[in-house]
Amino acid sequence: GEISHDSKKNRWLTRLSGQMERVVVSMQDPDMGVKLRNQRLLITVIPHAMTGNDIVEWLMQKFSVCDEEALHVGNLLVKFGYIYPLKEPRVLTLRPDETPYRFQTPYYWTSTRWPASELDYAIYLAKKNIRKQGELIEHEKESYNMLHKRINHTWDFVVMQAREQLRASKQRRKADRIVLECQEQAYWLVNRPPVSPCTCRWDRTRMTFLAYFMCYLHITLISTHSGFVKYCEQYQPHDPIMQGCLPSNPWITDDAMYWTINSDSVAVPTKLRVERWSFSFVELLSDPMGQRELMAYLEKEFSAENLCFWQACEDLRHGENSKIPSKVDEIYKQFLAPGATRWVNIDSKTMEKTLQGIKQPHRFVLDDAQMHIYFLMKKDSYPRYLRSELYKNLLARAVVPQETKKRYRSSCRRFLRTPPRRPHRHHACPPPSSSVGTQRSHTLYTGPSPSPWKVTGNE
Amino acid sequence: MGEMEQLRKEAESLKDQITAARKAVADATLPDTVSSTAVVGRVQLKTRKTLRGHLAKIYAMHWATDAKLCVSASQDGKLIVWDTLTTNKVNAIPLKSSWVMTCAYAPSGNMVACGGLDNMCSIYNLKGKDGNVKVMRELAAHTGYLSCCRFLSDSEIITSSGDCTCLLWDIETGTQKTTFAGHLGDCMSLAVPGDFKTFVSGACDFTAKLWDIRDSNCTHTFSGHESDVNAIAFFPNGNAVITGSDDATCKLFDLRSDQELITYQDSSIMCGVTSIAPSLSGRLILAGYDDFNVNIWDSLKAERVGVLAGHDNRVSCIGVSTDGMACCTGSWDSFLPSFSFKGQDNVMRLCKQNKQQYL
């Protein structure tokens, strides 16, 4: 019936609001969020503002969509009141230019304060009325009169509250007062738009926005799906079940060469391995050899302390509980103390918070600082490393192993490491995925002695 | 009220139009995005090794990070560490309680853990000074059976339990550090991603939850399954979670958009999923079922591309090694007395691809 339909819609709205909230929260991330700056409003400076352009660009980047789609999404955020325009508050659209906007405070989020309370609206209108007679615009006057009639019994309370709030706001700094007024006004413009206060019309408007939001969900669906496709494609050459591996899968040939040539301490890595470091910073750091190479590069750049700090933080996070206080102390002395030999460049806010936190050391106390340094390396050192001579030379020197054919399965020949009796042959048909060329006549190993690579008659 | 009704109808038709449009575009675009990639042909995996030694149902297995050793737990009361390449048993650890349901290998390779109906998680040190494997800690606090455990490091382990909670333990002191409560049904399994900052759990309340280890908050809840979520794993990119459920489907949930993306189901499959593991690139998802098979799914196109048949009972556990070389399955193969001529003990089969066809 009616009630069930309403509650279903409300649940749906709540769910969608939740998703929008998540977007808004990530937009405000200090490291990865939208660029914020001060905005001059007449003679006052409002902090933490952003331009319409910045918002669109961030959304394009985040969801890997074109500007039109990003504008769609941004418009939703404005229409639902998560972002409000500073200069023309009644124009609830996102302009992809230098128009300034601000994030709405969570107190006024549609999801936290929905449906909007009549009482609150009455107080808001009363405040406006008291502050400046005639400031109410047409539809507000209508609402004011209607509310005055409907909740007449509590009108004294409404006026009292309005006066009290006005008095309190006069004691604030001008910039704060303006911001609070903007926020409150934005909330009411979204929840009591200038149409006649008929719930049916508001219903319809909301439905249209929901339609937009469905499109947005759809866009994210497509972009996330293509994200997965890209990942699978990128990693396919590294997936032995999909594409085999060189020299051979040890499970098929009983030859453990693959593990030998990919060990941590091998002198010359394989090409696939070195290429994989370019997929993401995480890949580089997950390979002990990759970490060593990065360290060597950073040492040349005199910024190795960043990686050392990151490694020390990892050791702290995963290490023994009892060693935590001493480890934190050591890290402080080496990396964080003023004048420390390997001082790391963390922003003042994080540094302050960290120094405060280490007074009571625990496993996660350096998380923020570690994250800051991680992103620093990821944005700066990592791309430069990939462009460096050090990396390019290593990639050029890296080997592509020859394929080992499946050995005749005889138990007596398993794991025998006799020296090669004859030079190995080229195969007529290289495996589909390998980049082995006929120019390569031998592979370079300075590791342990290789097993004989015999070509068998089978296969 | 008439206007309300009219508006409602309008809203409904609008919703329907959008759903249809969405589907139409989705259908048009997905093949485009996928067609340029190599089509996965029929994937055939062949048994390469059979690990014999357990005398009763095998409930769990877990690969070590070196991709050569693995540990398995069976209700014959033994935890066995295998060198899978040689099929030798490196350690055969007798357990105090034989009702074991889970086991785990520490990333360092120094420890293994197991637990089950004894409500405890027992930690064993593999690298003891005298060479003997001894119980290092017994972590007792759960009020229900231990369904799954996973090490974060040598100092911390996470356990999931039939008491509907997950716990984070400090192994050194043997005490619980954080409780993750929120599930409304038995927690059946958990998975930890590469960065060890979060973990996911699947439970009998038909949902999967993503937890922040530091804050102990549940940051996402994924609904969509119509029955108990038995198995859970992270997609290799760390941005999605794959689940397997008693409703005979597996699902892929995207963490960033908090959506159910893909469902892996087939009308011919009517039994529950017991275990799940992705291949290294994530393109293939291997899932073990109650009907004794392992189905291999193309994760992007949601099509079945292979079957591993070969067990004589339900597949209870599955794991793909860290380098993606091989997958190992364990099962409840029928327990036959040792004098039987068939000699099909409870086996673990290591399978590897035999050949691959490109279409």
Side-chain angles (χ1 to χ4, degrees):
Chain A
E2 273 179 35
I3 297 167
S4 61
H5 184 93
D6 269 333
S7 67
K8 195 169 165 194
K9 203 171 33 151
N10 292 349
R11 271 208 306 275
W12 201 22
L13 260 169
T14 317
R15 183 165 162 251
L16 294 180
S17 309
Q19 286 179 316
M20 281 195 277
E21 267 169 48
R22 260 190 288 282
V23 176
V24 168
V25 166
S26 60
M27 285 174 91
Q28 293 179 72
D29 183 270
D31 281 317
M32 306 296 288
V34 184
K35 267 197 309 264
L36 297 177
R37 54 190 97 174
N38 289 342
Q39 176 66 42
R40 192 164 280 280
L41 210 62
L42 294 175
I43 50 168
T44 326
V45 173
I46 312 281
H48 305 137
M50 56 204 160
T51 66
N53 247 342
D54 286 341
I55 296 172
V56 171
E57 263 178 45
W58 189 92
L59 289 169
M60 278 173 73
Q61 223 245 349
K62 167 90 172 178
F63 293 112
S64 306
V65 292
C66 70
D67 52 358
E68 211 180 294
E69 288 161 338
L71 199 57
H72 250 326
V73 175
N75 252 311
L76 281 173
L77 293 174
V78 175
K79 286 195 162 53
F80 270 94
Y82 290 97
I83 294 176
Y84 62 89
L86 272 176
K87 285 201 174 141
E88 283 173 89
R90 294 207 169 77
V91 181
L92 289 180
T93 42
L94 183 67
R95 289 210 183 108
D97 51 26
E98 295 301 297
T99 315
Y101 295 85
R102 244 179 142 262
F103 288 109
Q104 180 61 288
T105 174
Y107 179 77
Y108 281 129
W109 280 356
T110 316
S111 42
T112 40
R113 300 177 76 69
W114 189 78
S117 141
E118 268 196 334
L119 194 63
D120 284 342
Y121 193 43
I123 295 170
Y124 169 69
L125 291 175
K127 271 200 293 189
K128 265 191 132 180
N129 203 31
I130 294 170
R131 207 165 43 213
K132 196 173 179 191
Q133 284 282 1
E135 190 168 325
L136 295 179
I137 58 178
E138 203 49 49
H139 87 281
E140 284 176 340
K141 279 194 198 133
E142 277 178 39
S143 308
Y144 186 82
N145 292 332
M146 189 205 65
L147 282 166
H148 186 88
K149 253 189 253 166
R150 190 145 78 211
I151 55 170
N152 192 270
H153 50 285
T154 56
W155 205 252
D156 286 343
F157 174 74
V158 169
V159 174
M160 185 188 76
Q161 271 295 301
R163 289 217 172 97
E164 187 54 41
Q165 286 183 18
L166 280 173
R167 194 189 59 77
S169 78
K170 281 207 177 85
Q171 295 175 349
R172 293 201 178 92
R173 266 180 55 223
K174 185 164 186 203
D176 291 342
R177 191 168 70 234
I178 291 183
V179 163
L180 287 166
E181 279 169 13
C182 282
Q183 287 172 344
E184 193 183 21
Q185 179 181 52
Y187 173 74
W188 290 112
L189 284 170
V190 167
N191 284 281
R192 288 285 183 270
V195 291
S196 84
C198 164
T199 50
C200 309
R201 298 251 188 104
W202 178 230
D203 227 22
R204 170 185 254 153
T205 334
R206 263 215 224 272
M207 274 300 147
T208 320
F209 296 149
L210 276 173
Y212 273 119
F213 203 68
M214 292 289 283
C215 290
Y216 152 70
L217 282 182
H218 167 63
I219 290 166
T220 55
L221 191 88
I222 293 291
S223 72
T224 44
H225 193 272
S226 62
F228 285 107
V229 172
K230 282 194 199 122
Y231 184 90
C232 289
E233 272 187 320
Q234 189 178 47
Y235 279 86
Q236 184 160 309
H238 300 259
D239 187 341
I241 299 182
M242 289 291 293
Q243 209 158 293
C245 76
L246 298 173
S248 68
N249 189 307
W251 304 105
I252 300 181
T253 60
D254 275 335
D255 174 22
M257 178 64 72
Y258 175 85
W259 288 318
T260 317
I261 65 175
N262 281 300
S263 71
D264 284 350
S265 54
V266 79
V268 183
T270 61
K271 243 195 181 46
L272 272 182
R273 183 180 186 175
V274 180
E275 274 170 6
R276 199 162 157 174
W277 298 346
S278 68
F279 290 177
S280 69
F281 192 37
V282 167
E283 285 287 354
L284 179 64
L285 288 180
S286 323
D287 188 341
M289 185 185 231
Q291 262 192 49
R292 279 202 304 275
E293 289 293 315
L294 180 66
M295 184 69 86
Y297 172 72
L298 291 177
E299 270 161 9
K300 285 197 176 156
E301 303 252 309
F302 302 105
S303 56
E305 68 277 359
N306 286 336
L307 186 58
C308 294
F309 176 70
W310 182 86
Q311 287 171 337
C313 292
E314 282 291 289
D315 183 48
L316 175 74
R317 282 176 111 251
H318 300 297
E320 289 165 44
N321 226 19
S322 53
K323 297 211 174 117
I324 288 177
S326 60
K327 279 184 183 172
V328 171
D329 193 47
E330 196 50 48
I331 292 174
Y332 171 74
K333 285 199 189 106
Q334 265 200 53
F335 299 101
L336 300 171
T341 47
R342 317 187 84 176
W343 191 79
V344 281
N345 192 4
I346 301 174
D347 69 288
S348 52
K349 193 170 150 202
T350 312
M351 182 64 99
E352 211 182 294
K353 193 173 163 199
T354 306
L355 292 177
Q356 191 63 29
I358 60 176
K359 292 180 184 165
Q360 272 148 340
H362 59 90
R363 194 177 293 276
F364 304 114
V365 75
L366 293 174
D367 269 8
D368 289 342
Q370 184 187 21
M371 188 60 68
H372 183 92
I373 294 295
Y374 174 85
F375 278 115
L376 204 68
M377 287 194 291
K378 182 178 170 183
K379 277 188 221 176
D380 183 46
S381 315
Y382 175 60
R384 284 191 295 112
Y385 169 65
L386 292 180
R387 291 193 297 263
S388 70
E389 288 306 311
L390 203 66
Y391 178 74
K392 288 183 186 157
N393 287 339
L394 188 65
L395 192 59
R397 281 189 296 130
V399 297
V400 178
Q402 293 271 7
E403 191 194 6
T404 310
K405 282 295 194 183
K406 181 170 169 180
R407 229 187 285 204
Y408 199 92
R409 281 178 74 97
S410 154
S411 54
C412 66
R413 287 214 199 148
R414 259 183 228 171
F415 304 107
L416 280 181
R417 288 184 178 265
T418 55
R421 280 186 215 138
R422 53 184 175 186
H424 43 260
R425 303 189 181 167
H426 297 300
H427 304 296
C429 232
S433 63
S434 83
S435 41
V436 113
T438 45
Q439 298 98 320
R440 274 196 177 277
S441 57
H442 61 274
T443 51
L444 310 158
Y445 293 115
T446 50
S449 56
S451 303
W453 290 355
K454 297 192 175 140
V455 180
T456 65
N458 306 345
E459 193 76 343
Chain B
M1 276 310 136
E3 201 186 329
M4 278 291 256
E5 202 45 53
Q6 205 174 15
L7 278 164
R8 256 191 218 112
K9 282 207 182 117
E10 229 182 274
E12 281 302 321
S13 86
L14 195 63
K15 254 193 287 172
D16 291 337
Q17 279 173 48
I18 286 158
T19 316
R22 193 175 166 182
K23 193 171 185 308
V25 181
D27 287 344
T29 321
L30 284 174
D32 287 343
T33 51
V34 175
S35 67
S36 55
T37 75
V39 174
V40 177
R42 189 101 192 122
V43 175
Q44 291 174 318
L45 300 189
K46 210 173 151 189
T47 307
R48 297 290 166 181
K49 307 279 179 196
T50 304
L51 305 177
R52 296 178 197 281
H54 278 304
L55 304 171
K57 293 176 181 172
I58 296 169
Y59 266 81
M61 66 82 52
H62 194 215
W63 283 96
T65 43
D66 71 355
K68 287 173 240 167
L69 298 174
C70 75
V71 64
S72 65
S74 157
Q75 290 201 342
D76 62 4
K78 282 245 174 31
L79 206 61
I80 299 185
V81 177
W82 308 84
D83 176 336
T84 47
L85 205 57
T86 60
T87 72
N88 291 336
K89 299 181 194 48
V90 178
N91 300 103
I93 307 163
L95 304 173
K96 268 192 203 167
S97 156
S98 66
W99 302 110
V100 67
M101 295 175 69
T102 181
C103 61
Y105 219 119
S108 62
N110 295 333
M111 305 177 203
V112 289
C114 67
L117 293 181
D118 57 357
N119 299 2
M120 279 194 325
C121 181
S122 308
I123 315 260
Y124 295 85
N125 184 359
L126 295 177
K127 306 278 165 87
K129 287 193 188 111
D130 53 0
N132 283 340
V133 176
K134 286 198 285 263
V135 178
M136 219 180 88
R137 289 285 179 274
E138 283 174 341
L139 309 173
H142 278 301
T143 53
Y145 60 86
L146 206 82
S147 53
C148 193
C149 57
R150 285 290 177 260
F151 284 91
L152 297 181
S153 64
D154 281 1
S155 327
E156 296 186 302
I157 189 168
I158 301 189
T159 57
S160 65
S161 164
D163 66 7
C164 309
T165 66
C166 298
L167 293 179
L168 171 71
W169 301 83
D170 174 34
I171 295 175
E172 229 178 319
T173 56
T175 53
Q176 62 184 106
K177 289 208 308 197
T178 320
T179 306
F180 303 91
H183 274 301
L184 302 171
D186 301 10
C187 294
M188 295 305 294
S189 61
L190 64 94
V192 184
D195 66 4
F196 300 114
K197 291 186 179 163
T198 57
F199 74 95
V200 286
S201 60
C204 291
D205 60 1
F206 310 176
T207 68
K209 282 182 188 285
L210 175 73
W211 306 88
D212 180 310
I213 290 178
R214 192 178 161 176
D215 300 335
S216 79
N217 291 334
C218 167
T219 51
H220 291 76
T221 301
F222 303 101
S223 335
H225 276 298
E226 289 160 14
S227 187
D228 303 353
V229 177
N230 296 320
I232 197 164
F234 271 92
F235 195 83
N237 68 359
N239 293 332
V241 158
I242 44 180
T243 55
S245 162
D246 269 345
D247 66 5
T249 71
C250 301
K251 286 180 194 281
L252 179 83
F253 295 95
D254 180 55
L255 296 182
R256 284 181 300 189
S257 58
D258 190 22
Q259 290 188 62
E260 176 190 323
L261 276 191
I262 306 177
T263 301
Y264 306 97
Q265 63 189 354
D266 190 285
S267 50
S268 63
I269 302 172
M270 286 177 294
C271 61
V273 180
T274 60
S275 46
I276 200 163
S279 74
L280 187 136
S281 64
R283 186 67 196 268
L284 300 175
I285 293 178
L286 297 100
Y289 289 74
D290 278 335
D291 67 357
F292 315 166
N293 288 330
V294 173
N295 287 318
I296 307 174
W297 297 91
D298 177 337
S299 63
L300 300 178
K301 297 184 78 185
E303 289 168 355
R304 206 157 41 145
V305 289
V307 176
L308 296 178
H311 277 296
D312 293 327
N313 206 323
R314 72 154 26 176
V315 178
S316 58
C317 53
I318 196 166
V320 172
S321 62
T322 39
D323 57 9
M325 287 286 171
C327 104
C328 182
T329 60
S331 114
W332 284 11
D333 280 321
S334 51
F335 174 78
L336 291 170
S338 51
F339 58 78
S340 158
F341 69 93
K342 238 183 167 175
Q344 272 235 319
D345 291 336
N346 295 286
V347 295
M348 296 221 310
R349 291 169 204 271
L350 267 82
C351 309
K352 181 53 203 91
Q353 179 176 16
N354 183 27
K355 56 183 172 181
Q356 163 145 21
Q357 295 152 349
Y358 281 94
L359 287 179

